[in-house]
């Protein structure tokens, strides 16, 4: 039988007569939560941006034909030597094609899997870029421009021109920004490319590609898959790489394994390929949470202190309340609710301040050569952070209020009344 | 006549700083409508006895009956309820909640009891203030009124739940003679007109003489 109306009205009166102290305590929470929201939104925004920079362009599964020495040498197939020791030195890989055998059926097969979002063929080759007297080595990748733009965010990295133009224009090229700069080329110009096998092919520049990673931009260009097959003089079933995008990134690893076993090809999943990025993300998250939790704990101590002080000042009130029939629990609830009110008000204010600050940061220009698609500081206003922040505010104030209020519950009114 | 309050063989010792037998075999009854005073030298154990009788102190031997019901050994929460409903307490120092208004202070025990509607409680509280001639102070903060006024507010608060008994520990000890007379007159009237039972510790001989019965204590015993 707890009379909450009465308890809350007493708590409210206590808080209102100590506005200064209680606002300081609430501001501690506000500061802690506000800083947490700002930090976590900014840090995860930054994380996502950095991850996207690499991961968006990386297929979930990358399938290709790797040149490697065969694991089984002919000698081991010979039964009669089964129980003897044989050793073959200087094993060299056999010359194999880079081409994926039966690529088109494999693509069809993978496309029919319901976990697969997209399967895109690519042809990777090394070429020379020639403009006037300058000759530069580099990579030219044949792609299906529209689909690459849709599924692998290629459009985010086209700083001039468009994927459509690449699709629609015959003998066109999407030139790496670094190459364009070195060779003083711009959209509309022509560049000659020469494959290692020889020959010259003039291509029209319909766009500039900038990934943000300078080493890539200095060598990498894209063209239509048909164009490159023509340059290399290959049939239209010549495919060197297959990129798979899944609905669920977690399936990448087992599926890559299956593909390797089934087709005798190399299949690398995104996690294996980018293990080091996950580590970076984890550490950045760790720092963010360590700092935020420290701030919130400091705020919690503020509440603990102020409530302790308040209870010390209110000893007489506690004795009177107990003398006129309030139970220890009633008194405990009076002080607990004060802590919770402080936490609630401080927490909500903190969320608002965090929201405002992140909104503000979101509008601050952040322009860098390396990140062509980023215009302002990245912010990730995930609602879950606000839920976590608020939960933590309530939790820490609850804990900070619990100990002092427990003390208030135990105060013996006789001791206080005698003390007068 | 029915006893309101009965103490049977109450004994209490303080263990710190040294073992000290402060109350020795205290037995007595208070009947309904009786106005009793307790006298005795300072340090003889009057306050200690009153804290036990008011159920705030539970560390004693013996038995305590309120309205013929044994309350010794009851749960703390139960004792809180008993204090709330049946016992009104007036201290020497005017124990009011300083941040609340006079009216709110008086209403507090009734709100805790929660047997009546808020309107009824407000109405009753104003009635009590009228009886004690301090209704004009209702809206004032408890910290802003004089000592005599505070003591009357404390009496109004003790009366609000129509308790079985009112206890006072030197309620006039801190008041000038005019205010002390005033408080005594109020007690006398409550006893005569409303048949309220009262048990009041006092040092004031004149005060005690005007009560129905005097209990005298010496060295932790009742001598008369
Ligand atoms: N908490 C305590 N611990 C030890 N001794 C106490 C305590 N409270 C009171 N006393 C002693 O008990 C005796 C009775 O005190 P009290 O009941 O306050 O006397 P009175 O109210 O009659 O003046 C005194 O000698 C006092 O010193
Ligand atoms: Mg005393």
């Amino acid at each position: 039988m707890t009379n909450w109306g009465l308890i809350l009205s007493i708590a409210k009166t206590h808080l209102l007569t100590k506005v200064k102290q209680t606002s300081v305590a609430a501001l501690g929470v506000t500061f802690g939560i506000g800083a947490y929201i700002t930090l976590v939104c900014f840090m995860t925004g930054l994380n996502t941006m950095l991850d996207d920079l690499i991961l968006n362009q990386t297929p979930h599964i990358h399938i290709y034909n790797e040149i490697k020495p065969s694991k089984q040498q002919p000698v081991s197939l010979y039964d009669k030597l089964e129980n003897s020791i044989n050793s073959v030195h200087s094993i060299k890989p056999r010359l194999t094609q880079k081409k994926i055998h039966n690529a088109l059926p494999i693509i069809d097969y993978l496309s029919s899997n319901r976990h697969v979002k997209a399967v895109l063929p690519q042809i990777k080759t090394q070429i020379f870029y020639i403009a006037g007297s300058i000759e530069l080595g580099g990579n030219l990748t044949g792609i299906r421009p529209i689909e690459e733009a849709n599924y692998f965010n290629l459009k985010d990295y086209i700083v001039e021109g468009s994927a459509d133009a690449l699709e629609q224009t015959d003998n066109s090229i999407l030139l790496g920004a670094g190459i364009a700069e070195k060779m003083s080329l711009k959209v509309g110009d022509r560049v000659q490319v020469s494959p290692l096998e020889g020959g010259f092919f003039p291509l029209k520049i319909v766009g500039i590609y900038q990934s943000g990673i300078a080493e890539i931009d200095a060598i990498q260009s894209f063209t239509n898959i048909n164009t490159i097959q023509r340059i290399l003089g290959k049939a239209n079933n010549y495919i060197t790489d297959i990129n798979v995008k899944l609905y669920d990134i977690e399936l990448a690893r087992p599926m890559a394994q299956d593909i390797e076993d089934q087709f005798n090809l190399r299949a690398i999943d995104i996690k294996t390929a980018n293990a080091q990025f996950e580590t970076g993300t984890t550490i950045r998250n760790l720092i963010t949470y360590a700092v935020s939790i420290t701030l919130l704990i400091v705020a919690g101590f503020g509440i603990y202190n102020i409530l302790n002080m308040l209870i010390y000042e209110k000893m007489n009130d506690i004795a009177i309340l107990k003398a006129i029939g309030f139970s220890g629990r009633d008194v405990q609830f009076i002080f607990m609710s004060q802590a919770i009110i402080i936490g609630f008000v401080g927490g909500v204010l903190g969320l608002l301040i965090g929201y405002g600050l992140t909104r503000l940061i979101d509008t601050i220009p952040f322009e860098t050569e390396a990140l062509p698609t980023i215009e302002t500081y990245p912010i990730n206003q995930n609602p879950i952070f606000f839920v976590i922040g608020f939960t933590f505010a309530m939790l820490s104030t609850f804990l900070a209020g619990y100990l002092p209020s427990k003390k208030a519950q135990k105060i013996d009114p006789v001791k206080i009344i005698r003390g007068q | 006549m029915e006893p309101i309050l009965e103490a049977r063989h109450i004994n209490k010792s303080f263990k710190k700083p040294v073992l000290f037998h402060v109350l020795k075999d205290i037995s007595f009854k208070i009947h309904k409508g009786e106005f009793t005073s307790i006298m005795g030298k300072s340090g003889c154990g009057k306050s200690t006895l009153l804290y036990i009788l008011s159920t705030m102190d539970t560390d004693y031997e013996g038995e305590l009956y309120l309205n013929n019901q044994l309350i010794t050994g009851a749960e703390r929460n139960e004792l809180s309820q008993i204090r709330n409903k049946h016992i009104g307490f007036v201290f020497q120092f005017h124990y009011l909640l300083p941040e609340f208004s006079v009216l709110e202070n008086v209403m507090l025990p009734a709100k805790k009891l929660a047997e009546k509607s808020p309107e009824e409680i407000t109405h009753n509280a104003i009635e009590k203030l009228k009886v004690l001639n301090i209704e004009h102070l209702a809206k004032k903060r408890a910290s802003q009124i004089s000592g005599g006024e505070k003591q009357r507010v404390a009496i109004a608060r003790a009366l609000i739940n129509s308790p079985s008994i009112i206890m006072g520990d030197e309620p006039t000890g801190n008041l000038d003679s005019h205010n002390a007379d005033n408080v005594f007159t109020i007690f006398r009237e409550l006893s005569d007109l409303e048949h309220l039972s009262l048990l009041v510790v006092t040092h004031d001989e004149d005060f005690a003489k005007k009560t129905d019965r005097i209990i005298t204590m010496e060295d932790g015993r009742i001598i008369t």
Side-chain angles (χ1 to χ4, degrees):
Chain A
M1 197 200 67
T2 309
N3 189 342
W4 280 109
L6 181 56
I7 282 173
L8 288 177
S9 83
I10 296 174
K12 198 185 79 190
T13 308
H14 278 172
L15 289 178
L16 289 180
T17 51
K18 288 267 172 290
V19 173
K20 232 183 191 167
Q21 281 105 314
T22 48
S23 359
V24 168
L27 278 178
V29 181
T30 303
F31 181 69
I33 300 295
Y36 162 76
I37 295 288
T38 313
L39 248 172
V40 85
C41 288
F42 185 55
M43 285 298 262
T44 55
L46 216 58
N47 269 347
T48 316
M49 185 195 75
L50 290 172
D51 288 352
D52 284 356
L53 192 62
I54 304 302
L55 298 185
N56 264 356
Q57 297 160 281
T58 316
H60 292 168
I61 304 174
H62 177 206
I63 305 167
Y64 60 100
N65 212 347
E66 196 171 49
I67 296 177
K68 59 180 176 200
S70 45
K71 288 188 182 119
Q72 259 191 336
Q73 292 298 315
V75 66
S76 59
L77 296 173
Y78 187 48
D79 297 347
K80 286 190 180 162
L81 291 174
E82 202 178 351
N83 291 321
S84 38
I85 296 169
N86 61 68
S87 143
V88 185
H89 293 281
S90 297
I91 298 171
K92 292 284 181 291
R94 190 162 57 104
L95 176 67
T96 47
Q97 296 173 293
K98 281 206 234 157
K99 171 189 171 183
I100 296 177
H101 194 61
N102 277 336
L104 296 178
I106 292 175
I107 290 171
D108 285 342
Y109 170 79
L110 291 174
S111 305
S112 66
N113 188 320
R114 67 191 166 85
H115 299 301
V116 172
K117 197 170 177 184
V119 185
L120 292 184
Q122 286 192 344
I123 300 170
K124 287 189 179 162
T125 187
Q126 278 154 3
I127 45 110
F128 291 102
Y129 301 100
I130 301 159
S133 59
I134 318 167
E135 217 170 278
L136 285 176
N139 296 335
L140 184 61
T141 302
I143 56 170
R144 289 183 183 161
I146 301 288
E147 286 165 75
E148 290 283 343
N150 289 341
Y151 295 110
F152 291 105
N153 303 325
L154 180 69
K155 56 182 176 298
D156 287 351
Y157 304 96
I158 299 177
V159 286
E160 261 182 86
S162 69
D164 290 330
L166 188 63
E167 176 97 33
Q168 283 153 14
T169 319
D170 256 352
N171 292 328
S172 56
I173 187 169
L174 179 63
L175 198 67
I179 308 156
E181 201 188 347
K182 281 184 202 165
M183 304 183 105
S184 304
L185 291 167
K186 56 187 189 300
V187 174
D189 290 348
R190 284 181 180 274
V191 61
Q192 300 244 30
V193 300
S194 165
L196 298 183
E197 290 84 354
F200 295 94
F201 300 84
L203 298 178
K204 185 175 182 212
I205 301 168
V206 294
I208 301 293
Y209 165 83
Q210 188 176 23
S211 68
I213 301 168
E215 294 99 284
I216 294 181
D217 297 338
I219 52 173
Q220 183 68 54
S221 295
F222 294 94
T223 182
N224 212 308
I225 206 159
N226 305 325
T227 309
I228 204 151
Q229 281 163 347
R230 202 158 41 223
I231 291 173
L232 298 175
K234 303 283 188 185
N236 69 355
N237 67 353
Y238 179 86
I239 303 289
T240 62
D241 297 78
I242 299 172
N243 287 341
V244 181
K245 186 144 187 165
L246 302 174
Y247 288 103
D248 181 3
I249 191 169
E250 298 302 322
L251 293 174
R253 184 162 288 179
M255 219 165 140
Q257 194 59 49
D258 287 349
I259 292 167
E260 284 202 351
D261 296 346
Q262 195 174 353
F263 299 112
N264 193 26
L265 290 165
R266 193 84 172 104
I268 302 280
D269 66 277
I270 188 165
K271 296 230 158 148
T272 310
N274 293 292
Q276 73 274 28
F277 278 97
E278 287 228 350
T279 321
T281 307
T282 315
I283 287 175
R284 281 192 295 269
N285 280 340
L286 208 69
I287 293 171
T288 309
Y289 276 89
V291 172
S292 313
I293 286 173
T294 312
L295 287 171
L296 290 176
I297 287 174
V298 170
F301 271 107
I303 293 177
Y304 175 82
N305 253 337
I306 282 176
L307 224 59
N308 251 336
M309 222 171 65
L310 202 71
I311 285 168
Y312 197 78
E313 283 176 15
K314 297 283 180 229
M315 285 288 194
N316 276 344
D317 286 29
I318 293 169
I320 298 165
L321 288 171
K322 286 187 171 178
I324 64 178
F326 282 73
S327 65
R329 251 169 51 127
D330 292 333
V331 171
Q332 185 184 2
F333 286 157
I334 288 172
F335 288 94
M336 276 308 291
S337 36
Q338 293 183 33
I340 289 171
I341 290 169
I342 291 174
F344 184 83
V345 173
V348 168
L349 272 178
L351 294 185
L352 289 178
I353 285 181
Y355 182 80
L357 264 179
T358 47
R359 259 289 141 90
L360 189 74
I361 293 173
D362 207 10
T363 62
I364 297 176
F366 174 62
E367 277 167 39
T368 154
E369 272 290 294
L371 305 163
T373 52
I374 307 292
E375 282 157 16
T376 58
Y377 280 96
I379 287 291
N380 175 18
Q381 272 178 337
N382 191 334
I384 198 82
F385 299 145
F386 290 78
V387 174
I388 292 175
F390 189 70
T391 311
F392 202 96
M394 294 316 288
L395 214 71
S396 66
T397 48
F398 188 87
L399 283 179
Y402 183 78
L403 297 174
S405 71
K406 198 79 193 164
K407 199 168 77 185
Q409 187 213 336
K410 293 213 179 91
I411 285 173
D412 178 5
V414 173
K415 266 195 193 139
I416 310 296
I417 293 166
R418 254 190 209 292
Q420 278 278 358
Chain B
M1 251 216 296
E2 283 286 290
I4 292 280
L5 185 73
E6 183 177 357
R8 286 189 197 165
H9 310 293
I10 302 271
N11 276 282
K12 177 169 174 82
S13 302
F14 287 116
K15 289 170 189 73
K16 278 189 270 181
V18 285
L19 191 67
F20 174 45
H21 198 173
V22 55
L23 295 177
K24 297 160 187 162
D25 198 36
I26 304 270
S27 295
F28 66 93
K29 290 179 187 175
I30 305 282
H31 293 285
K32 182 155 174 55
E34 226 179 353
F35 185 1
T36 311
S37 56
I38 300 178
M39 291 200 71
K41 293 214 177 67
S42 185
C44 71
K46 306 181 297 289
S47 296
T48 308
L49 177 62
L50 220 52
Y51 296 140
I52 290 173
L53 297 178
S54 70
T55 76
M56 281 193 280
D57 187 353
T58 52
D59 181 20
Y60 62 91
E61 284 149 36
E63 285 144 23
L64 194 61
Y65 293 84
L66 188 71
N67 295 322
N68 284 322
Q69 267 196 314
L70 179 69
I71 54 173
T72 304
E75 287 274 323
R76 286 204 162 272
N77 280 345
E78 210 178 315
L79 291 177
S80 292
Q81 280 172 36
I82 289 171
R83 271 204 299 285
N84 186 222
K85 192 170 163 61
H86 296 293
I87 300 172
F89 210 105
V90 183
F91 307 94
Q92 174 176 5
F93 298 93
H94 9 269
Y95 267 110
L96 301 177
L97 300 184
E99 287 122 3
F100 291 74
S101 74
V102 164
L103 187 63
E104 282 169 328
N105 264 288
V106 175
M107 292 195 299
L108 220 49
K111 282 186 178 167
K112 169 62 195 161
L113 189 62
E115 276 181 356
K116 295 192 173 121
S117 71
E119 295 76 34
E120 262 182 294
I121 291 173
T122 313
H123 179 257
N124 283 356
I126 291 173
E127 283 300 301
K128 301 292 175 204
L129 290 177
K130 274 185 190 160
V131 169
L132 296 166
N133 274 320
I134 43 169
E135 62 179 302
H136 58 286
L137 300 175
K139 295 285 172 227
K140 280 212 167 176
R141 271 231 197 169
S143 54
Q144 290 167 343
I145 58 176
S146 76
E149 288 165 343
K150 279 180 186 165
Q151 203 57 308
R152 277 186 277 170
V153 175
I155 295 170
R157 185 179 64 192
L159 290 171
I160 189 77
N161 282 343
S162 311
S164 309
I165 185 165
I166 291 204
M167 300 181 192
D169 191 357
E170 303 187 30
T172 58
N174 204 30
L175 299 179
D176 59 33
S177 61
H178 169 73
N179 274 308
D181 277 350
N182 209 323
V183 167
F184 177 79
T185 312
I186 291 163
F187 280 157
R188 192 68 256 181
E189 277 173 6
L190 288 171
S191 170
D192 293 344
L193 303 178
E194 316 213 354
H195 293 284
L196 205 68
S197 317
L198 290 139
L199 179 61
V200 176
V201 170
T202 182
H203 269 128
D204 187 338
E205 200 112 8
D206 297 335
F207 183 121
K209 273 184 194 147
K210 286 185 254 174
T211 61
D212 301 340
R213 172 181 160 202
I214 300 174
I215 294 174
T216 313
M217 283 180 70
E218 203 174 291
D219 287 339
R221 279 181 215 282
I222 292 181
I223 51 171
T224 56

